[in-house]
């Protein structure tokens, strides 16, 4: 039997009438659990704002996973070999799976998938800015794997220690799969970089286009990040946006050298004093424009998502009918 958390014991004490506990007492138990690095579980008491922040972040994350299937699926039919096609199909399917784990994690907070999808389709919830850029060549599949999945891992490994149990546990599996995605992207780019002159140029062009948007994935600079301070206090986020962005740059620089490709930033250089790389300014006006819906592919992505949802209505209906037919209540009714 699972051990009850202090939170759960407090809730039971109030329900039993063995302890008169008000919200202040619950808040104290919650604060102590977060301070002690214990996990908050779905049946535990939690502040409304903590719940709302988790739903916001997990929903945005889930939406990013399923919208992120589109730019890569664009190349499945044109993958240059059966091996590359099989790898890409598996990767796109993994992203769908990540969406499912994350929508399920949001459900444990009392928010259904229908509601979240409705918010995505009506523009009331965001998905990652990165997926509003087009995949123009085959090398973009490699650049997405190396840079976009690489950025995702840098951001998500610390989320495996998020204070909310179901989100943290979903992240463990997601990160393992993202790690495979990152490696396949790196290996694809390496093959192109060592190929013909034209292939090398194609790889370089893809890295030139995906580098800056990948840095934007980490979110606005710390002094403009609305949620970071509170999310870090709650141990939802373990590091700030700028901290993770810098970590990612440090990881990429030696990898770019091994790939024989150049990162498109003339100001990129090692800072001995800080023990990190300095890099050039990010064009935050581009980031804001993409978030407002004015990126190169915003319209296309959301139109395609709505269409996929509408065209999949019969599958959801069939699955619901099948589940109802096989539910214990229906089976009992039939036996009577
Ligand atoms: N794209 C779109 N919106 C972004 C963004 C981005 N790259 N970065 C920040 N934002 C939004 C925030 O959602 C917030 O908007 P809201 O108030 O309307 O919700 C606003 O900009 C302010 O940003 P904050 O820094 O205050 O927001 P957070 O504290 O939530 O930090 C985050 C942003 C770092 C992205 C954080 O939410 C996070 O770590 N999320 C989980 C990871 C995630 O969502 N990753 C998506 C990447 S894609 C992916 O994983 C798929 C894989 O296959 C590659």
């Amino acid at each position: 039997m699972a051990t009850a958390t202090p939170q759960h014991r407090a809730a039971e004490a109030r329900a039993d009438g063995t302890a008169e506990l008000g919200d202040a007492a619950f808040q104290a138990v919650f604060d102590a659990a977060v301070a002690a690095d214990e996990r908050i579980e779905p049946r535990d008491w939690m502040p409304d704002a903590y719940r709302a922040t988790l739903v916001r972040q997990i929903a945005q994350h889930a939406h990013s996973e399923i919208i992120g299937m589109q730019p890569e699926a664009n190349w499945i039919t044109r993958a240059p070999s059966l091996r590359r096609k099989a790898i890409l199909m598996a990767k796109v399917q993994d992203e769908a799976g990540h969406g499912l784990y994350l929508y399920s994690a949001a459900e444990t907070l009392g928010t259904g998938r229908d509601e979240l999808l409705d918010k995505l389709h009506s523009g009331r919830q965001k998905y990652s800015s990165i997926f509003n850029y087009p995949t123009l060549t085959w090398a973009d599949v490699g650049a997405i794997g190396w840079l976009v999945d690489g950025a995702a891992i840098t951001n998500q490994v610390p989320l495996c220690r998020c204070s909310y149990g179901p989100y943290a546990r979903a992240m463990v599996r997601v990160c393992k799969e993202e790690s495979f995605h990152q490696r396949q992207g790196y290996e694809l780019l390496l093959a192109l970089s060592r190929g013909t002159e034209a292939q090398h140029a194609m790889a370089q062009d893809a890295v030139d286009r995906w580098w800056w948007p990948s840095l934007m994935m980490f979110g606005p600079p710390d002094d403009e990040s609305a949620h970071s301070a509170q999310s870090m206090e709650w141990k939802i986020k373990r590091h700030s946006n700028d901290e993770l962005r810098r970590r990612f740059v440090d990881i990429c620089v030696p990898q770019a050298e091994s790939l024989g490709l150049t990162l498109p930033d003339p100001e990129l250089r090692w800072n001995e004093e800080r023990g990190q790389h300095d890099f050039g300014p990010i064009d935050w006006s581009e980031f804001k424009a993409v978030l407002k819906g004015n990126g190169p592919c915003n319209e296309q992505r959301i139109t395609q998502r709505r269409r996929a949802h509408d065209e999949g209505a019969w599958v959801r209906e069939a699955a619901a009918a099948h589940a109802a037919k096989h539910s214990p209540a229906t089976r009992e009714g039939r036996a009577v």
Side-chain angles (χ1 to χ4, degrees), residues 142-151 182 185-186 189 207 252 255-256 259 263:
I144 291 182
W146 177 43
L147 295 174
V148 176
D149 291 288
Q182 193 269 354
Y186 185 88
L189 279 184
V207 169
C252 288
Q255 292 184 350
L259 280 171
L263 295 172

Side-chain angles (χ1 to χ4, degrees), residues 17-329:
T18 47
E20 293 244 333
L21 294 174
D23 276 356
F26 274 87
Q27 179 75 51
V29 176
F30 171 86
D31 291 343
V34 171
D37 266 339
E38 280 168 19
R39 290 271 158 81
I40 307 300
E41 297 296 339
R43 287 188 298 162
D44 292 339
W45 183 93
M46 61 187 84
D48 290 344
Y50 175 83
R51 186 185 298 275
T53 290
L54 279 168
V55 170
R56 179 189 62 77
Q57 177 167 327
I58 296 172
Q60 180 184 309
H61 194 166
H63 300 329
S64 304
E65 298 285 355
I66 61 166
I67 295 267
M69 296 166 73
Q70 292 184 33
E72 293 185 278
N74 182 33
W75 280 92
I76 290 177
T77 54
R78 289 171 289 166
S81 68
L82 184 58
R83 172 174 171 264
R84 294 287 182 200
K85 191 193 284 270
I87 293 172
L88 186 55
M89 281 170 65
K91 178 176 191 284
V92 172
Q93 282 175 358
D94 282 353
E95 308 299 1
H98 297 175
L100 293 184
Y101 312 151
L102 287 160
Y103 286 120
S104 299
E107 273 168 0
T108 66
L109 292 157
T111 312
R113 197 180 311 177
D114 287 351
E115 184 186 332
L116 297 181
L117 285 174
D118 189 47
K119 286 187 173 155
L120 169 66
H121 298 154
S122 58
R124 284 175 292 150
Q125 274 178 348
K126 297 187 173 81
Y127 59 90
S128 181
S129 51
I130 194 73
F131 298 120
N132 292 305
Y133 292 85
T135 39
L136 302 179
T137 70
W138 170 249
D140 288 19
V141 173
I144 291 182
W146 177 43
L147 295 174
V148 176
D149 291 288
I153 298 169
T154 309
N155 169 268
Q156 289 165 27
V157 165
L159 290 175
C160 297
R161 293 188 297 119
C162 165
S163 57
Y164 187 58
Y167 190 30
R169 289 189 286 274
M171 280 303 105
V172 173
R173 179 158 175 183
V174 168
C175 285
K176 284 185 184 156
E177 292 175 355
E178 296 293 8
S179 169
F180 154 74
H181 297 170
Q182 193 269 354
R183 282 171 203 203
Q184 69 80 36
Y186 185 88
E187 193 260 341
L188 194 165
L189 279 184
L190 189 63
L192 289 177
S193 179
R194 291 181 177 171
T196 64
E197 213 173 290
Q199 285 171 329
H200 181 90
M202 194 201 284
Q204 183 61 59
D205 170 64
V207 169
D208 289 347
R209 283 181 291 105
W210 287 92
W211 174 248
W212 292 106
S214 299
L215 296 192
M216 295 175 197
M217 280 176 73
F218 293 91
D222 290 352
D223 54 4
E224 289 176 32
S225 167
H227 307 290
S228 278
Q230 180 62 76
S231 289
M232 285 171 71
E233 203 169 300
W234 279 327
K235 296 187 182 168
I236 293 173
K237 284 169 82 162
R238 295 283 179 160
H239 305 282
S240 76
N241 299 354
D242 285 332
E243 236 180 303
L244 292 173
R245 192 172 4 253
R246 281 195 294 269
R247 187 178 292 181
F248 176 65
V249 171
D250 289 338
I251 293 169
C252 288
V253 171
Q255 292 184 350
E257 272 169 30
S258 307
L259 280 171
L261 298 171
T262 311
L263 295 172
D265 179 357
E267 295 180 38
L268 189 61
R269 61 181 56 86
W270 180 250
N271 182 324
E272 195 65 53
E273 207 175 299
R274 288 198 309 110
Q276 285 201 301
H277 288 87
D278 288 333
F279 51 93
I282 294 173
D283 181 359
W284 291 113
S285 63
E286 176 180 321
F287 175 72
K288 285 177 188 154
V290 173
L291 256 60
K292 275 197 183 140
N294 300 323
C297 299
N298 294 61
E299 185 68 37
Q300 182 187 334
R301 299 288 184 242
I302 208 70
T303 304
Q304 164 70 7
R305 172 92 271 289
R306 287 195 201 111
R307 188 167 60 231
H309 188 74
D310 292 345
E311 289 175 358
W314 70 271
V315 180
R316 292 191 296 279
E317 279 163 26
H322 180 80
K325 198 166 152 188
H326 293 276
S327 78

